[in-house]
């Protein structure tokens, strides 16, 4: 046995306050958000991907922010990613959703991927700025990401094939890889899934539908048939049930809610500008909208506190699989998504009423038309009814995390 080395203890000093969560990425996020805002109306109007903002996220390292320090990255926490998503959401919801969906996928690589050559190469690609999309739903299963019809078909040489008929794959044309759920084998149950890295050079995408929607138009979530032939090294180590419970579901729900918070925050800012304009026009009088603005900021702060608390809660138990896979944690994650998606439409609607006719206008510096259309996508993107149906069974076994 090696004897412990006794070290001389230095005098105790006052602990250093932790660095504020947004400081490390604030300047870079602001640069990307400025570019996103510049093209937001065009992206929405043309229903095209936010290519300029995606390029800026790559250039400034936001897509690689969560890569762990031991793998050469910056090791952003979910709390830090949440702040980034909110700031991007203030400028362009489509850009922010691309960021959020990407992070929900790439974190599965180092948390669940294992040490295969394919996973290692994909982590390095993400560290260099690669953008990842996902394909988790299929036609015929009603949007249930926890079941698959398509299956991994191996051959004797270690190659695998799969075909997925996906009703949506967001920003597929811009992605440097698509992570695809599939049954472990052709004989496996629908819920016995794995996650497969599909690279463009090994994948053929055939478009089957277009994305002409009320809001979130820039996510370009068209329908595709995905045919891939790759190597078994590109299959992540853990089963998808574990990946979803421990990473994809809680991370995605926090970051989506963070985006919606950003939408609401920008709408509230437009309401504040409108009230300030009224105040300047009638010095000495409180504008009629000031009371409504104060009420709106109470509700906005409550949503912000909820989102930030959920992010911190994940960071506190990020390595505790038992907690992350518990029914109570799933209830909490679903509650965040459902609650935030319902509140964002209320907040934006209140902001529009504060602004008045200029907020109702389709365009203009005080318009919240795009914000309201984007906000309505929150409740139907992964249906709240489906989550509540899942919660109904979980609620019989456990209570809420308070």
């Amino acid at each position: 046995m090696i004897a412990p080395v006794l070290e001389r203890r230095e005098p105790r000093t006052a602990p250093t306050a932790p660095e504020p969560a947004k400081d490390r990425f604030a300047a870079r996020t602001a640069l990307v958000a400025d570019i996103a805002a510049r093209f937001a109306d065009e992206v929405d109007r043309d229903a095209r991907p936010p290519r300029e903002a995606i390029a800026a996220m790559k250039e400034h390292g936001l897509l690689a922010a969560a890569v762990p320090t031991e793998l050469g990255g910056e090791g952003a926490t979910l709390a830090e990613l949440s702040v980034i998503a909110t700031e991007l959401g203030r400028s362009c919801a489509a850009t922010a959703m691309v960021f959020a969906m990407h992070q929900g996928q790439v974190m599965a690589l180092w948390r669940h991927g294992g040490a295969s050559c394919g996973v290692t190469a994909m982590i390095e690609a993400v560290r260099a700025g690669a953008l990842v999309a996902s394909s988790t739903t299929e036609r015929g299963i009603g949007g249930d990401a926890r079941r698959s019809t398509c299956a991994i078909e191996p051959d004797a040489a270690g190659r695998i094939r799969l075909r997925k008929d996906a009703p949506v794959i967001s920003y597929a044309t811009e992605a440097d890889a698509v992570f695809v759920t599939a049954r472990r084998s052709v004989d496996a149950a629908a819920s016995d899934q794995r996650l497969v890295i599909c690279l463009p050079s090994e994948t053929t995408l055939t478009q089957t539908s277009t994305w002409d929607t009320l809001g979130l138009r820039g996510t370009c979530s068209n329908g595709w048939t995905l045919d891939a032939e790759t190597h078994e090294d590109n299959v992540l180590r853990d089963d998808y049930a574990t990946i979803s419970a421990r990473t994809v579901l809680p991370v995605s729900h926090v970051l989506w809610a963070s985006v919606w918070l950003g939408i609401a925050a920008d709408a509230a800012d437009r309401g504040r500008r409108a009230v300030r304009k009224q105040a300047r026009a009638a010095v000495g009088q409180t504008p009629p909208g000031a009371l409504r603005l104060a009420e709106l900021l109470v509700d906005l702060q409550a949503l912000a506190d909820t989102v930030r608390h959920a992010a911190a809660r994940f960071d506190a138990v990020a390595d505790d699989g038992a907690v992350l896979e518990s029914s109570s944690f799933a209830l909490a994650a679903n509650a965040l998504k459902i609650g935030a998606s319902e509140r964002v439409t209320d907040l934006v609607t209140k902001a529009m009423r504060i602004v008045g006719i200029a907020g109702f206008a389709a365009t203009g510096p005080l318009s919240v038309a795009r914000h309201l259309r984007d906000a309505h996508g929150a409740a139907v993107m992964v249906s709240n009814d489906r989550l509540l149906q899942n919660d109904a069974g979980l609620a019989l076994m456990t209570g809420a995390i308070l």
Side-chain angles (χ1 to χ4, degrees):
M1 178 181 294
I2 300 176
V5 177
L6 299 178
E7 297 180 352
R8 184 173 65 87
R9 298 192 175 210
E10 298 293 336
R12 295 180 104 183
T13 57
T16 303
E19 184 181 29
K22 74 174 185 176
D23 283 1
R24 280 204 295 165
F25 301 98
R28 286 178 281 165
T29 300
L31 290 171
V32 176
D34 180 65
I35 293 171
R38 202 180 310 162
F39 293 94
D41 288 335
E42 180 182 323
V43 165
D44 174 68
R45 184 194 67 222
D46 298 342
R48 69 163 179 87
R51 295 189 179 95
E52 298 83 2
I54 290 172
M57 286 193 287
K58 291 185 176 187
E59 178 184 355
H60 295 291
L62 297 191
L63 296 180
V67 176
T69 55
E70 61 268 25
L71 297 175
E74 296 182 87
T77 63
L78 188 57
E80 290 176 307
L81 297 177
S82 174
V83 172
I84 295 171
T86 296
E87 293 306 306
L88 296 178
R90 285 176 176 266
S91 297
C92 172
T95 297
M97 285 304 302
V98 170
F99 173 83
M101 289 186 280
H102 163 86
Q103 299 295 348
Q105 294 298 306
V106 298
M107 288 178 68
L109 286 168
W110 44 87
R111 288 170 60 82
H112 306 282
S116 70
C117 294
V119 170
T120 301
M122 191 68 237
I123 292 173
E124 177 57 31
V126 170
R127 193 174 71 82
L131 175 64
V132 172
S134 69
S135 177
T136 56
T137 59
E138 290 179 69
R139 298 189 194 279
I141 59 173
D144 186 354
R146 285 293 295 108
R147 292 189 298 132
S148 290
T149 300
C150 77
I152 295 172
E153 302 177 29
D155 64 20
R159 303 288 295 176
I160 58 173
R161 295 188 304 276
L162 63 85
R163 163 173 278 206
K164 195 176 186 81
D165 186 2
V168 294
I169 303 178
S170 298
Y171 56 92
T173 58
E174 313 306 307
D176 299 297
V178 181
F179 288 5
V180 182
T181 51
R183 287 183 294 141
R184 180 175 52 83
S185 68
V186 293
D187 299 322
S191 60
D192 186 3
Q193 299 167 294
R194 302 298 293 272
L195 192 61
V196 184
I197 302 167
C198 296
L199 303 174
S201 61
E202 302 173 324
T203 304
T204 300
L205 289 169
T206 304
Q207 189 171 341
T208 58
S209 66
T210 57
W211 183 250
D212 186 12
T213 52
L214 182 70
L216 295 176
R217 293 168 57 78
T219 63
C220 296
S221 304
N222 302 312
W224 302 89
T225 298
L226 181 149
D227 289 284
E229 182 173 346
T230 184
H231 194 275
E232 60 187 11
D233 276 355
N234 282 336
V235 180
L236 272 63
R237 176 196 60 208
D238 293 349
D239 61 89
Y240 189 68
T242 300
I243 295 172
S244 177
R246 295 189 182 187
T247 302
V248 173
L249 186 146
V251 169
S252 296
H253 284 186
V254 166
L255 294 184
W256 294 348
S258 302
V259 174
W260 304 330
L261 173 61
I263 296 172
D266 190 63
D269 283 345
R270 295 180 185 220
R272 185 171 60 85
R273 292 204 300 271
V275 174
R276 286 169 63 89
K277 183 178 180 181
Q278 296 167 9
R280 287 193 295 269
V283 178
Q285 300 181 27
T286 302
L291 181 62
R292 301 283 82 83
L293 176 63
E295 291 177 335
L296 173 60
L297 295 182
V298 169
D299 293 338
L300 181 66
Q301 188 63 57
L303 177 57
D305 290 346
T306 298
V307 172
R308 300 295 183 245
H309 177 67
R313 180 170 55 211
F314 176 86
D315 286 334
V317 299
D319 298 321
D320 191 334
V323 172
L324 293 171
E325 293 190 57
S326 68
S327 297
S328 56
F329 198 86
L331 279 172
N334 288 345
L336 174 66
K337 191 275 176 184
I338 294 167
S341 65
E342 297 290 349
R343 290 162 76 178
V344 64
T345 53
D346 290 341
L347 290 168
V348 176
T349 300
K350 288 178 179 178
M352 181 181 67
R353 291 174 179 172
I354 291 169
V355 174
I357 196 66
F360 186 65
T363 59
L366 295 180
S367 170
V368 296
R370 171 165 53 83
H371 302 67
L372 188 58
R373 289 186 289 101
D374 289 342
H376 275 289
V380 296
M381 186 187 71
V382 180
S383 167
N384 284 356
D385 287 347
R386 174 176 294 280
L387 293 179
L388 286 169
Q389 187 175 32
N390 293 341
D391 283 354
L394 296 174
L396 298 176
M397 298 182 286
T398 185
I401 298 178
L402 300 178

